[in-house]
Amino acid sequence: MDLPDPWGQDLRTALELIEVIDVEIDASESESSNAGADYLFVQLLTTVPGIGLILGYTIASEIRDIHRFESSTKLVGYSGLTPRVIQSGGHDVRAPLSKHGPKYLGWALGDAVTHGAPCLL
C-alpha cells in the first residue's frame, strides 16, 4: 500500500522495529529454554496446555520444592485458590476464592487456565 511520505516512513520504521524486537525475543526465548533444562519441574509444567516458559518459571519459583507439601490438598490450600468456607451450626456456605496465597502464583495459574482452556474444549 502506497502511503504519503510522513505516514509511510512511520510505518516502515515501525515494521523495522518489530523485526528487531522479534529477533531479540527469539534470542531471549532460546536463552530461557536453555536455562530451564536443569529444572525438572519447569519442564513438566510446560507440558500442561496454557503453561509456557514464563508461567512455568513463575509457578515453580512460587511453589519452590513441591515435596514440602504433604498432599495436593495442602498445595491447593497454599495457593489460595480454594473457596472460603463459612460454617455456622448446620450451615455450610462456599464463598468466592480466598486469594490468600502468593500473588504471582495465583496470577500464573489463572493465566494458565485462561490460555489453556480453549485447548481442552
Side-chain angles (χ1 to χ4, degrees), residues 84-88 91-95:
R84 287 183 296 188
V85 178
I86 302 168
Q87 295 177 331
S88 176
H91 293 82
D92 186 9
V93 179
R94 305 289 171 166

Side-chain angles (χ1 to χ4, degrees), residues 63 65-78:
I63 292 175
D65 182 17
I66 199 163
H67 300 295
R68 68 190 178 114
F69 299 100
E70 295 175 13
S71 66
S72 58
T73 305
K74 299 280 186 180
L75 175 58
V76 172
Y78 171 76

